[in-house]
Amino acid sequence: MQRRIVDGTLQRGIWSRFSIRHPRGAGRRDAADPPALLHEAVPDLTELTQALATSKHEAQEARQHIATLTEINSRLEQIVTQLAQKEAQARDFAYHDELTGLPNRRLLRDRLKQALAQGARQGKQVVLLLLDLDGFKTINDQLGHAAGDKVLQAVAERLSASIRAADTVCRYGGDEFVIMLPEVDQPSLADAVAAKVRARLGEPRFIDGYEICVTASMGTVVYPSDGQTYEELIRQADAALYCTKTGSSGVSITAFQESL
């Protein structure tokens, strides 16, 4: 009797190891009945397969949405970049001369006001040179405005090459230019720059089959002795320029044959 109990206990233990627990309400089947277990497992496998297929489909849709959003983001970045470039161009046009690329009157005003404030703090001078090309109308009348534009561009390049990095060359309007020299310690600097400008402008330039030589009249003023504000200095520079106009040498135009 004891052995049977022991054997029965052992048998129950063995069967319990291989028994399968089913969901609540589904009952309990012994592992010795595999067809019944397989029959009950098929619906579970079918649902699992369907759920897996649904998950794969949703994952594919998610990847497509991510790709679409990535493309939209890339387009938005391009639009933002283009808008920033247009804004920079608009700002550049607002402060620079379209023909020569030099600062215009608006930018000159801003820089001169800053230079005057800095000069007042540091006790330094600011020099303005107002230039007017002598006889420039002759170039437009004889060679046309296209040639005149090329002369203005050449003048702008030579003026820019005649100054320090901290200085400013501005196309003030028409054939007038302004050179601003901030933080001037020695009055002789203005004379040195004026001499350098005259030498560079005096060099002939060859445009559309013609050798063109131009000169410029200059009016020079110094802050603070000649004025305290932008308006005062420009007005005094214009008056000084008018005085130097008498006896200007004008412009010479000579046809030439380019050497091969």
Side-chain angles (χ1 to χ4, degrees), residues 224-242:
S225 57
D226 295 321
Q228 303 288 321
T229 65
Y230 170 86
E231 291 75 14
E232 291 176 352
L233 291 171
I234 290 296
R235 185 168 56 252
Q236 293 296 330
D238 191 61
L241 174 64
Y242 179 80

Side-chain angles (χ1 to χ4, degrees), residues 121-248:
R121 290 192 301 268
Q122 299 178 353
K124 294 185 177 181
Q125 297 177 330
V126 179
V127 177
L128 279 188
L129 289 82
L130 178 60
L131 291 76
D132 182 79
L133 302 183
D134 300 322
F136 181 74
K137 185 175 181 299
T138 303
I139 298 176
N140 286 333
D141 292 342
Q142 294 187 13
L143 304 182
H145 289 277
D149 289 345
K150 293 178 181 179
V151 171
L152 292 174
Q153 291 171 340
V155 169
E157 293 177 359
R158 296 188 179 188
L159 292 179
S160 298
S162 303
I163 61 174
R164 305 170 301 175
D167 302 335
T168 296
V169 177
C170 158
R171 186 185 178 196
Y172 195 68
D175 59 346
E176 290 186 336
F177 298 84
V178 173
I179 298 177
M180 183 191 71
L181 310 176
E183 301 182 21
V184 175
D185 294 320
Q186 302 294 331
S188 59
L189 176 62
D191 296 333
V193 172
K196 190 174 183 179
V197 167
R198 287 193 176 92
R200 285 187 177 272
L201 292 182
E203 298 172 359
R205 57 192 57 80
F206 302 96
I207 296 175
D208 296 341
Y210 292 90
E211 178 186 275
I212 301 176
C213 295
V214 298
T215 60
S217 300
M218 298 186 195
T220 304
V221 293
V222 179
Y223 164 87
S225 57
D226 295 321
Q228 303 288 321
T229 65
Y230 170 86
E231 291 75 14
E232 291 176 352
L233 291 171
I234 290 296
R235 185 168 56 252
Q236 293 296 330
D238 191 61
L241 174 64
Y242 179 80
C243 294
T244 62
K245 270 293 188 180
T246 304
S248 60

Side-chain angles (χ1 to χ4, degrees), residues 22 46 101 256:
H22 296 277
T46 302
F256 74 98

